[in-house]
Amino acid sequence: MKLLRVGPAGAERPALLDRGGVLRDLSNLVPDIDGSLLADAAALARVAEAEAAGRLPELEPVERVGPPLARIGKIVCIGLNYHDHATETGAQPPAEPVVFMKAPDTVVGPDDTVLVPRGSRKTDWEVELAVVIGRELRYAASHEEALAAVAGYAIAHDVSEREFQIERGGQWDKGKNCETFNPLGPWLVTADEIADPQALPLKLWVNGELKQDGSTADQIFPVAEVVRYLSQFMTLYPGDVINTGTPAGVALGQPEPKPYLRAGDVVELAIEGLGRQRQELKQA
Ligand code: ZN
């Protein structure tokens, strides 16, 4: 299923994009799309059944698509998880996953405005496959157990400020947590619809020019290993999100002068089967 949330920011209602591409209202069936719903197999089955039976009311065209997940618990991110991206940044491919966190309040809708932070000169783009957790997971013993905890997938834009991230001391947090720095969506696609999470083309354009053109096949640590690995260090809960890293083609990896983002730029992202995002940049 393709689950989404539509409406004004903070007042989104749960919806579903059906197999015919028609937007359907879920608000009579489930309170929202969040960790509690993803952990509730019976509720998800009722949604699937109502869709199959054609019982879901059609929604009028909507002005805004919000993030497809409410009340996100935590966002765990994997750095340098594609061979070509590690190379372009001058880093060695890591022996173990590089892990950092992003605050859930950085999340906005897939087509919402992204703000260039005040004082920023190096705002950069990163298209990523986001994994959404649907089952509590501690110390997973196998890749099978790890994948069984995955409820679905979405596109994440891990917007990053490279000077704040790399040149201003400390860890990466300052360059990763600016407001609006994690567009998510448009859909949360349930895991049963993604036959192989390691065979997804990812693309990103800036002002219509293709900048990133990768595949999750090139991930150093595949989704199953990322989820298994993280569960050795932290408990994963329904409603947690994992940004699994970005392929080559970010501004940081380009020759000088690097083409960092400015107000007025338009970034578009796509992952096969997961839809598209489009953001206009504005000054904070
Ligand atoms: Zn990233």
Side-chain angles (χ1 to χ4, degrees):
M1 294 184 288
K2 294 183 172 73
L3 303 171
L4 68 163
R5 298 169 66 249
V6 298
E12 293 92 347
R13 56 166 53 194
L16 177 146
L17 190 71
D18 75 12
R19 278 156 218 286
V22 177
L23 202 54
R24 304 282 176 180
D25 190 2
L26 289 184
S27 54
N28 291 331
L29 208 55
V30 299
D32 208 344
I33 296 163
D34 59 9
S36 320
L37 175 69
L38 299 177
D40 186 345
L44 287 173
R46 279 196 298 275
V47 173
E49 213 173 283
E51 181 194 358
R55 285 203 310 267
L56 296 172
E58 196 170 331
L59 264 180
E60 298 297 314
V62 289
E63 287 187 3
R64 175 179 175 271
V65 175
L69 186 65
R71 289 171 284 284
I72 294 170
K74 58 180 170 287
I75 304 174
V76 191
C77 305
I78 308 300
L80 306 171
N81 196 27
Y82 287 75
H83 289 101
D84 54 0
H85 174 61
T87 304
E88 76 175 344
T89 62
Q92 292 293 324
E96 290 196 52
V98 173
V99 174
F100 64 96
M101 308 281 278
K102 216 161 168 156
D105 60 19
T106 57
V107 169
V108 293
D111 303 330
D112 286 350
T113 298
V114 167
L115 296 173
V116 176
R118 293 183 193 176
S120 164
R121 295 181 301 174
K122 298 185 177 178
T123 297
D124 204 348
W125 57 81
E126 294 192 353
V127 60
E128 307 207 2
L129 173 67
V131 171
V132 180
I133 300 296
R135 187 185 293 180
E136 185 175 321
L137 190 69
R138 305 168 62 244
Y139 303 107
S142 67
H143 287 164
E144 291 69 29
E145 187 185 350
L147 279 182
V150 173
Y153 300 92
I155 304 174
H157 187 180
D158 178 19
V159 188
S160 305
E161 213 296 340
R162 302 303 185 191
E163 186 182 346
F164 299 177
Q165 176 190 347
I166 299 165
E167 301 168 41
R168 299 288 292 274
Q171 300 180 316
W172 292 0
D173 306 35
K174 282 180 276 190
K176 292 287 190 177
N177 285 282
C178 311
E179 62 180 333
T180 73
F181 262 27
N182 201 344
L184 188 69
W187 315 317
L188 192 173
V189 179
T190 50
D192 57 294
E193 293 200 2
I194 302 296
D196 182 2
Q198 303 313 133
L200 301 175
L202 324 81
K203 289 187 165 64
L204 181 146
W205 299 260
V206 179
N207 301 327
E209 189 181 320
L210 184 63
K211 298 288 192 184
Q212 291 187 279
D213 186 8
S215 165
T216 54
D218 296 326
Q219 287 188 336
I220 298 171
F221 304 103
V223 168
E225 173 57 13
V226 163
V227 175
R228 186 208 66 79
Y229 180 87
L230 288 175
S231 78
Q232 312 306 307
F233 300 94
M234 61 188 81
T235 306
L236 296 173
Y237 293 99
D240 286 350
V241 171
I242 304 166
N243 290 343
T244 60
T246 199
V250 301
L252 177 66
Q254 314 287 313
E256 298 286 355
K258 300 182 195 292
Y260 289 113
L261 295 169
R262 295 161 189 274
D265 286 343
V266 172
V267 182
E268 291 165 280
L269 304 83
I271 299 181
E272 197 168 288
L274 301 182
R276 285 181 78 94
Q277 300 186 347
R278 182 187 187 278
Q279 299 113 29
E280 191 174 330
L281 279 285
K282 288 195 177 144
Q283 188 61 50

